[in-house]
Short mmCIF file of all heavy atoms in Angstrom, two decimals:
data_model
loop_
_atom_site.label_atom_id
_atom_site.label_comp_id
_atom_site.label_asym_id
_atom_site.label_seq_id
_atom_site.Cartn_x
_atom_site.Cartn_y
_atom_site.Cartn_z
N ILE A 260 -27.95 0.36 -8.69
CA ILE A 260 -27.57 -1.04 -8.98
C ILE A 260 -28.50 -2.01 -8.27
O ILE A 260 -28.15 -3.16 -8.05
CB ILE A 260 -26.11 -1.32 -8.60
CG1 ILE A 260 -25.88 -1.11 -7.08
CG2 ILE A 260 -25.14 -0.50 -9.43
CD1 ILE A 260 -24.56 -1.69 -6.59
N PHE A 263 -29.07 -5.44 -9.75
CA PHE A 263 -27.98 -6.42 -9.82
C PHE A 263 -28.20 -7.52 -8.78
O PHE A 263 -28.57 -7.24 -7.63
CB PHE A 263 -26.64 -5.74 -9.56
CG PHE A 263 -25.99 -5.15 -10.76
CD1 PHE A 263 -26.50 -4.00 -11.35
CD2 PHE A 263 -24.87 -5.73 -11.33
CE1 PHE A 263 -25.90 -3.44 -12.46
CE2 PHE A 263 -24.27 -5.18 -12.45
CZ PHE A 263 -24.79 -4.04 -13.02
N PRO A 264 -27.93 -8.78 -9.13
CA PRO A 264 -28.00 -9.86 -8.11
C PRO A 264 -26.98 -9.62 -7.00
O PRO A 264 -25.83 -9.26 -7.27
CB PRO A 264 -27.65 -11.11 -8.92
CG PRO A 264 -27.86 -10.76 -10.36
CD PRO A 264 -27.59 -9.29 -10.47
N THR A 266 -25.47 -11.65 -5.35
CA THR A 266 -24.38 -12.63 -5.39
C THR A 266 -23.32 -12.26 -6.43
O THR A 266 -22.27 -12.92 -6.51
CB THR A 266 -24.93 -14.02 -5.73
OG1 THR A 266 -25.68 -13.94 -6.95
CG2 THR A 266 -25.84 -14.53 -4.62
N GLU A 267 -23.59 -11.21 -7.21
CA GLU A 267 -22.65 -10.77 -8.25
C GLU A 267 -21.37 -10.25 -7.61
O GLU A 267 -21.40 -9.51 -6.63
CB GLU A 267 -23.29 -9.67 -9.08
CG GLU A 267 -22.60 -9.38 -10.39
CD GLU A 267 -23.10 -10.29 -11.49
OE1 GLU A 267 -24.23 -10.13 -11.96
OE2 GLU A 267 -22.31 -11.18 -11.87
N GLU A 268 -20.23 -10.63 -8.17
CA GLU A 268 -18.95 -10.11 -7.69
C GLU A 268 -18.60 -8.84 -8.46
O GLU A 268 -18.78 -8.76 -9.68
CB GLU A 268 -17.84 -11.14 -7.84
CG GLU A 268 -17.92 -12.27 -6.82
CD GLU A 268 -16.59 -12.98 -6.63
OE1 GLU A 268 -15.73 -12.89 -7.54
OE2 GLU A 268 -16.41 -13.62 -5.58
N VAL A 269 -18.07 -7.85 -7.74
CA VAL A 269 -17.66 -6.58 -8.33
C VAL A 269 -16.29 -6.21 -7.78
O VAL A 269 -15.78 -6.83 -6.85
CB VAL A 269 -18.68 -5.46 -8.00
CG1 VAL A 269 -20.02 -5.74 -8.67
CG2 VAL A 269 -18.85 -5.31 -6.49
N SER A 270 -15.68 -5.20 -8.37
CA SER A 270 -14.34 -4.77 -7.93
C SER A 270 -14.40 -4.15 -6.55
O SER A 270 -15.38 -3.48 -6.18
CB SER A 270 -13.76 -3.77 -8.92
OG SER A 270 -13.52 -4.38 -10.18
N PHE A 271 -13.33 -4.37 -5.78
CA PHE A 271 -13.24 -3.80 -4.43
C PHE A 271 -11.89 -3.10 -4.29
O PHE A 271 -10.84 -3.66 -4.60
CB PHE A 271 -13.36 -4.89 -3.37
CG PHE A 271 -13.31 -4.37 -1.96
CD1 PHE A 271 -14.38 -3.66 -1.44
CD2 PHE A 271 -12.19 -4.56 -1.18
CE1 PHE A 271 -14.34 -3.16 -0.15
CE2 PHE A 271 -12.14 -4.07 0.11
CZ PHE A 271 -13.22 -3.37 0.63
N LEU A 272 -11.94 -1.84 -3.82
CA LEU A 272 -10.72 -1.04 -3.69
C LEU A 272 -10.52 -0.57 -2.25
O LEU A 272 -11.07 0.47 -1.84
CB LEU A 272 -10.79 0.20 -4.61
CG LEU A 272 -10.75 -0.03 -6.11
CD1 LEU A 272 -10.86 1.30 -6.85
CD2 LEU A 272 -9.45 -0.72 -6.51
N ILE A 283 -4.81 2.19 -10.05
CA ILE A 283 -5.60 1.38 -9.13
C ILE A 283 -5.27 -0.09 -9.33
O ILE A 283 -4.93 -0.51 -10.43
CB ILE A 283 -7.12 1.60 -9.30
CG1 ILE A 283 -7.56 1.41 -10.75
CG2 ILE A 283 -7.54 2.96 -8.78
CD1 ILE A 283 -9.06 1.50 -10.95
N ASP A 284 -5.35 -0.86 -8.27
CA ASP A 284 -5.12 -2.30 -8.30
C ASP A 284 -6.48 -2.99 -8.24
O ASP A 284 -7.18 -2.92 -7.23
CB ASP A 284 -4.25 -2.71 -7.11
CG ASP A 284 -4.03 -4.21 -7.02
OD1 ASP A 284 -4.53 -4.95 -7.89
OD2 ASP A 284 -3.37 -4.65 -6.06
N LEU A 285 -6.86 -3.64 -9.34
CA LEU A 285 -8.19 -4.24 -9.45
C LEU A 285 -8.18 -5.74 -9.16
O LEU A 285 -9.04 -6.48 -9.63
CB LEU A 285 -8.75 -3.99 -10.86
CG LEU A 285 -9.04 -2.53 -11.20
CD1 LEU A 285 -9.48 -2.39 -12.65
CD2 LEU A 285 -10.11 -1.97 -10.27
N SER A 286 -7.21 -6.19 -8.38
CA SER A 286 -7.08 -7.62 -8.13
C SER A 286 -8.11 -8.15 -7.14
O SER A 286 -8.34 -9.36 -7.06
CB SER A 286 -5.67 -7.94 -7.62
OG SER A 286 -5.41 -7.26 -6.41
N GLN A 287 -8.74 -7.27 -6.36
CA GLN A 287 -9.69 -7.74 -5.35
C GLN A 287 -11.13 -7.61 -5.83
O GLN A 287 -11.50 -6.61 -6.45
CB GLN A 287 -9.53 -6.96 -4.05
CG GLN A 287 -8.19 -7.17 -3.35
CD GLN A 287 -8.19 -6.64 -1.94
OE1 GLN A 287 -9.13 -6.86 -1.17
NE2 GLN A 287 -7.12 -5.93 -1.58
N GLN A 288 -11.95 -8.64 -5.53
CA GLN A 288 -13.38 -8.60 -5.82
C GLN A 288 -14.17 -9.03 -4.58
O GLN A 288 -13.67 -9.79 -3.75
CB GLN A 288 -13.75 -9.54 -6.98
CG GLN A 288 -13.17 -9.13 -8.32
CD GLN A 288 -11.85 -9.82 -8.62
OE1 GLN A 288 -11.67 -10.98 -8.29
NE2 GLN A 288 -10.91 -9.11 -9.23
N ARG A 289 -15.36 -8.51 -4.45
CA ARG A 289 -16.27 -8.90 -3.37
C ARG A 289 -17.68 -9.06 -3.92
O ARG A 289 -18.04 -8.43 -4.92
CB ARG A 289 -16.29 -7.83 -2.27
CG ARG A 289 -14.95 -7.58 -1.57
CD ARG A 289 -14.73 -8.55 -0.43
NE ARG A 289 -13.51 -8.21 0.30
CZ ARG A 289 -13.46 -7.38 1.34
NH1 ARG A 289 -14.57 -6.79 1.77
NH2 ARG A 289 -12.32 -7.13 1.95
N LYS A 290 -18.48 -9.86 -3.27
CA LYS A 290 -19.89 -9.95 -3.62
C LYS A 290 -20.60 -8.67 -3.20
O LYS A 290 -20.26 -8.07 -2.16
CB LYS A 290 -20.53 -11.15 -2.92
CG LYS A 290 -20.08 -12.50 -3.46
CD LYS A 290 -20.77 -13.63 -2.72
CE LYS A 290 -20.31 -14.99 -3.25
NZ LYS A 290 -20.95 -16.11 -2.53
N ILE A 291 -21.59 -8.26 -4.01
CA ILE A 291 -22.34 -7.05 -3.70
C ILE A 291 -22.95 -7.14 -2.30
O ILE A 291 -22.96 -6.16 -1.54
CB ILE A 291 -23.42 -6.79 -4.76
CG1 ILE A 291 -22.78 -6.42 -6.10
CG2 ILE A 291 -24.37 -5.67 -4.32
CD1 ILE A 291 -23.76 -6.20 -7.23
N VAL A 294 -20.63 -5.88 0.42
CA VAL A 294 -20.11 -4.50 0.42
C VAL A 294 -21.19 -3.44 0.27
O VAL A 294 -20.89 -2.24 0.34
CB VAL A 294 -19.06 -4.31 -0.70
CG1 VAL A 294 -17.83 -5.16 -0.44
CG2 VAL A 294 -19.64 -4.64 -2.08
N TYR A 300 -19.65 3.39 -2.95
CA TYR A 300 -19.99 2.86 -4.27
C TYR A 300 -19.51 3.80 -5.38
O TYR A 300 -19.56 5.02 -5.24
CB TYR A 300 -21.51 2.68 -4.37
CG TYR A 300 -22.04 2.61 -5.78
CD1 TYR A 300 -21.80 1.49 -6.58
CD2 TYR A 300 -22.76 3.67 -6.32
CE1 TYR A 300 -22.28 1.43 -7.89
CE2 TYR A 300 -23.25 3.62 -7.62
CZ TYR A 300 -23.00 2.50 -8.40
OH TYR A 300 -23.46 2.45 -9.69
N PHE A 301 -19.05 3.22 -6.50
CA PHE A 301 -18.69 4.00 -7.69
C PHE A 301 -18.78 3.08 -8.90
O PHE A 301 -18.95 1.86 -8.76
CB PHE A 301 -17.29 4.59 -7.56
CG PHE A 301 -16.27 3.66 -6.97
CD1 PHE A 301 -15.59 2.73 -7.75
CD2 PHE A 301 -15.98 3.69 -5.61
CE1 PHE A 301 -14.66 1.86 -7.21
CE2 PHE A 301 -15.06 2.81 -5.05
CZ PHE A 301 -14.39 1.90 -5.84
N ARG A 302 -18.66 3.68 -10.07
CA ARG A 302 -18.69 2.88 -11.29
C ARG A 302 -17.66 3.43 -12.27
O ARG A 302 -17.03 4.47 -12.02
CB ARG A 302 -20.09 2.87 -11.91
CG ARG A 302 -20.52 4.18 -12.53
CD ARG A 302 -21.94 4.12 -13.04
NE ARG A 302 -22.27 5.32 -13.81
CZ ARG A 302 -23.50 5.77 -14.01
NH1 ARG A 302 -24.52 5.12 -13.49
NH2 ARG A 302 -23.72 6.85 -14.75
N ASP A 303 -17.47 2.74 -13.39
CA ASP A 303 -16.51 3.18 -14.42
C ASP A 303 -16.75 4.65 -14.79
O ASP A 303 -17.90 5.08 -14.92
CB ASP A 303 -16.64 2.31 -15.67
CG ASP A 303 -15.87 1.01 -15.57
OD1 ASP A 303 -14.98 0.91 -14.69
OD2 ASP A 303 -16.14 0.08 -16.36
N GLU A 304 -15.64 5.37 -14.95
CA GLU A 304 -15.61 6.78 -15.34
C GLU A 304 -15.92 7.73 -14.19
O GLU A 304 -15.98 8.94 -14.38
CB GLU A 304 -16.54 7.08 -16.52
CG GLU A 304 -16.21 6.30 -17.79
CD GLU A 304 -14.82 6.66 -18.35
OE1 GLU A 304 -14.41 7.82 -18.22
OE2 GLU A 304 -14.17 5.75 -18.92
N VAL A 323 -11.60 5.96 -12.29
CA VAL A 323 -11.71 4.51 -12.28
C VAL A 323 -12.23 3.98 -13.62
O VAL A 323 -13.21 4.48 -14.15
CB VAL A 323 -12.59 4.00 -11.11
CG1 VAL A 323 -11.90 4.23 -9.79
CG2 VAL A 323 -13.95 4.66 -11.10
N LYS A 324 -11.53 2.98 -14.12
CA LYS A 324 -11.91 2.31 -15.37
C LYS A 324 -11.59 0.82 -15.23
O LYS A 324 -10.72 0.44 -14.45
CB LYS A 324 -11.13 2.89 -16.55
CG LYS A 324 -11.39 4.37 -16.81
CD LYS A 324 -10.58 4.85 -18.02
CE LYS A 324 -10.81 6.33 -18.27
NZ LYS A 324 -10.06 6.83 -19.45
N GLY A 325 -12.28 0.02 -16.01
CA GLY A 325 -12.00 -1.41 -16.03
C GLY A 325 -12.53 -2.18 -14.85
O GLY A 325 -12.06 -3.30 -14.56
N LEU A 326 -13.52 -1.62 -14.12
CA LEU A 326 -14.09 -2.31 -12.97
C LEU A 326 -14.86 -3.55 -13.42
O LEU A 326 -15.48 -3.57 -14.49
CB LEU A 326 -15.04 -1.38 -12.21
CG LEU A 326 -14.43 -0.10 -11.62
CD1 LEU A 326 -15.54 0.81 -11.09
CD2 LEU A 326 -13.43 -0.41 -10.53
N LEU A 327 -14.83 -4.59 -12.61
CA LEU A 327 -15.57 -5.81 -12.89
C LEU A 327 -17.07 -5.49 -12.91
O LEU A 327 -17.59 -4.89 -11.97
CB LEU A 327 -15.27 -6.86 -11.82
CG LEU A 327 -15.87 -8.25 -12.01
CD1 LEU A 327 -15.31 -8.91 -13.28
CD2 LEU A 327 -15.57 -9.12 -10.79
N LYS A 328 -17.72 -5.82 -14.01
CA LYS A 328 -19.13 -5.49 -14.23
C LYS A 328 -19.36 -3.97 -14.28
O LYS A 328 -20.49 -3.49 -14.21
CB LYS A 328 -20.04 -6.08 -13.13
CG LYS A 328 -19.87 -7.57 -12.89
CD LYS A 328 -20.29 -8.40 -14.09
CE LYS A 328 -20.35 -9.89 -13.77
NZ LYS A 328 -19.10 -10.45 -13.26
N GLY A 329 -18.25 -3.20 -14.37
CA GLY A 329 -18.37 -1.75 -14.42
C GLY A 329 -18.68 -1.12 -13.09
O GLY A 329 -18.96 0.08 -13.01
N ILE A 330 -18.61 -1.91 -12.00
CA ILE A 330 -19.03 -1.43 -10.68
C ILE A 330 -17.92 -1.69 -9.67
O ILE A 330 -17.21 -2.68 -9.73
CB ILE A 330 -20.31 -2.17 -10.23
CG1 ILE A 330 -21.48 -1.79 -11.14
CG2 ILE A 330 -20.67 -1.85 -8.78
CD1 ILE A 330 -22.69 -2.66 -10.94
N GLY A 331 -17.79 -0.77 -8.70
CA GLY A 331 -16.81 -0.95 -7.65
C GLY A 331 -17.29 -0.43 -6.31
O GLY A 331 -18.18 0.43 -6.24
N PHE A 332 -16.71 -0.97 -5.25
CA PHE A 332 -16.92 -0.47 -3.89
C PHE A 332 -15.55 -0.31 -3.26
O PHE A 332 -14.58 -0.98 -3.64
CB PHE A 332 -17.76 -1.45 -3.07
CG PHE A 332 -19.22 -1.42 -3.38
CD1 PHE A 332 -19.72 -2.13 -4.47
CD2 PHE A 332 -20.10 -0.69 -2.60
CE1 PHE A 332 -21.07 -2.11 -4.76
CE2 PHE A 332 -21.46 -0.67 -2.88
CZ PHE A 332 -21.95 -1.38 -3.97
#
Side-chain angles (χ1 to χ4, degrees):
I260 61 166
F263 273 72
T266 55
E267 195 86 72
E268 286 201 339
V269 294
S270 295
F271 181 72
L272 292 179
I283 53 175
D284 177 1
L285 294 175
S286 61
Q287 295 193 45
Q288 294 94 37
R289 298 274 185 90
K290 290 180 180 179
I291 292 178
V294 295
Y300 160 71
F301 42 84
R302 71 184 189 202
D303 277 342
E304 300 296 327
V323 291
K324 298 180 181 181
L326 299 172
L327 185 63
K328 307 295 190 303
I330 294 169
F332 284 82

